[in-house]
Amino acid sequence: MEQDLILIGAGGCMRELLWQIEELNVKEPVWKVIGYVDKQPCWKGNTSDISAGGIRCPYLGDDDYLLHIQKETNVTISVGEPRLRKKIAQKLMNNPKLKFPNLIMSDTRVCSDIKLGQGCILSMGCKISTNVTLGDFVFLNIDSLICHDGTIGNYTTLSPDVKIAGQVTIGSECAIGLGSRVIQEVKIGDHVIAGAGSVIVKDIENPCTVVGIPAKPVEK
Ligand SMILES: CC(C)(COP(=O)(O)OP(=O)(O)OC[C@H]1O[C@@H](n2cnc3c(N)ncnc32)[C@H](O)[C@@H]1OP(=O)(O)O)[C@@H](O)C(=O)NCCC(=O)NCCS
C-alpha cells in the first residue's frame, strides 16, 4: 500500500529523488510525497512548490515542523553532503514518531542477504552484491555498484557511477566522488573525501581528501 513520505532538503538531490519516486510508482504506487521541509521555502516564480516530472511537492515548514509532529511519519533526508545529513538526522531522531525508511528505487539489483541500517537511499540503477552491510543514512547515488562482502559506514555518500570492488570497507561520513573506483580489499577510514574520477588502490586510514589515479591526498 502507498505510504506518505516527507523529503528534507530542497536541492537538486531532492528533485532527483522526486523523479526516481515517480519512476518507482509507475509499476505500483509505493511512496506518496506529501511535501518537503527546509529552513525556508524555495521560491520559483510565484510558487514555493518543488516539482520534478509529474510530482509536485509543497513546502511544509522547517525542522521544527517535523520535531513537533505527533503521528508516525516517514521522512527521507535528501541531502548528499554527509555531515549535513548527519546533523539533520541527529536532530530529527529526537522525535520518536519520525521513521526513516530505506528507499529502494526502481531498476536496482540488490542481493537478498544484504544488511541495511535505516534511512538509506538506494538510487536507480544501484547494484549490491552478496554479504554487503550498509550503516544508517547511507546514500548510494545513481548507478553505484558494491561488490561482495563490502561494508559502508553511517552517513557515507557514493556519488553517481561509483564502483566498489569486493571486500572493501568504507568508514562513516565519507563522500566518494562521481565515477570513482575502489579496488578489492581496500580499507577507507572515516571522513574521507574522494574527488571525482579517483581510483583508490591503497588503504586510507586518516580523514583526508584524495584525488587522481591512483588516488593520492591533495596537498594543502
Ligand atoms: C576533490 C574535491 C572535493 C576537491 O575540492 P577542493 O577541496 O575545493 O579542492 P580544489 O578544487 O582546490 O583542488 C585542489 C587540487 O586538486 C585538484 N583536483 C580537484 N578535484 C580533482 C579531481 N576530481 N581529480 C583530480 N584532481 C582534482 C585541483 O586541480 C587542485 O590541484 P592544484 O592544487 O594542482 O591546482 C572536488 O574537486 C571534487 O572532485 N569533488 C567531488 C565532486 C563530485 O563527485 N560531485 C558529485 C555530485 S553528485
Side-chain angles (χ1 to χ4, degrees):
M1 206 185 73
E2 194 179 30
Q3 294 188 64
D4 287 352
L5 179 69
I6 293 175
L7 298 181
I8 303 164
C13 192
M14 178 271 209
R15 288 174 41 247
E16 281 199 338
L17 273 192
L18 287 181
W19 163 53
Q20 295 183 57
I21 289 169
E22 184 182 37
E23 294 264 338
L24 181 69
N25 286 345
V26 166
K27 239 192 205 164
E28 179 191 352
V30 181
W31 298 111
K32 182 177 190 321
V33 183
I34 58 170
Y36 73 96
V37 163
D38 207 323
K39 276 193 194 133
Q40 52 205 23
C42 178
W43 287 98
K44 290 251 160 59
N46 62 355
T47 179
S48 59
D49 292 1
I50 294 183
S51 47
I55 302 188
R56 203 176 169 91
C57 188
Y59 181 65
L60 300 173
D62 60 12
D63 292 353
D64 282 345
Y65 168 87
L66 290 175
L67 286 173
H68 293 106
I69 264 182
Q70 296 296 329
K71 65 166 192 170
E72 275 205 359
T73 302
N74 291 312
V75 298
T76 286
I77 308 173
S78 44
V79 169
E81 208 280 312
R83 271 174 310 175
L84 182 54
R85 201 158 65 253
K86 179 179 180 184
K87 198 172 153 199
I88 296 168
Q90 289 190 328
K91 190 172 175 189
L92 296 183
M93 280 192 281
N94 287 316
N95 182 352
K97 294 287 180 193
L98 298 179
K99 302 294 164 207
F100 303 96
N102 294 311
L103 296 197
I104 303 182
M105 296 306 182
S106 58
D107 198 24
T108 50
R109 306 293 295 273
V110 177
C111 183
S112 60
D113 65 13
I114 71 159
K115 294 180 199 74
L116 275 180
Q118 61 175 339
C120 296
I121 301 172
L122 277 54
S123 303
M124 198 183 270
C126 277
K127 294 185 181 66
I128 308 184
S129 180
T130 180
N131 192 33
V132 168
T133 303
L134 305 187
D136 293 332
F137 301 96
V138 171
F139 185 176
L140 305 185
N141 219 313
I142 295 172
D143 279 343
S144 32
L145 164 74
I146 305 172
C147 292
H148 62 92
D149 308 304
T151 304
I152 311 283
N154 299 337
Y155 305 104
T156 282
T157 296
L158 305 191
S159 297
D161 191 36
V162 166
K163 311 293 184 207
I164 309 285
Q167 291 177 268
V168 166
T169 300
I170 301 181
S172 299
E173 295 171 63
C174 294
I176 310 299
L178 193 75
S180 294
R181 271 77 178 121
V182 184
I183 70 161
Q184 70 281 357
E185 296 173 28
V186 161
K187 290 186 175 46
I188 298 173
D190 300 334
H191 305 281
V192 170
I193 297 173
S198 305
V199 177
I200 301 172
V201 299
K202 284 188 185 156
D203 293 356
I204 304 170
E205 282 168 24
N206 300 316
C208 64
T209 298
V210 299
V211 297
I213 306 173
K216 299 213 166 105
V218 175
E219 307 284 344
K220 282 257 175 183

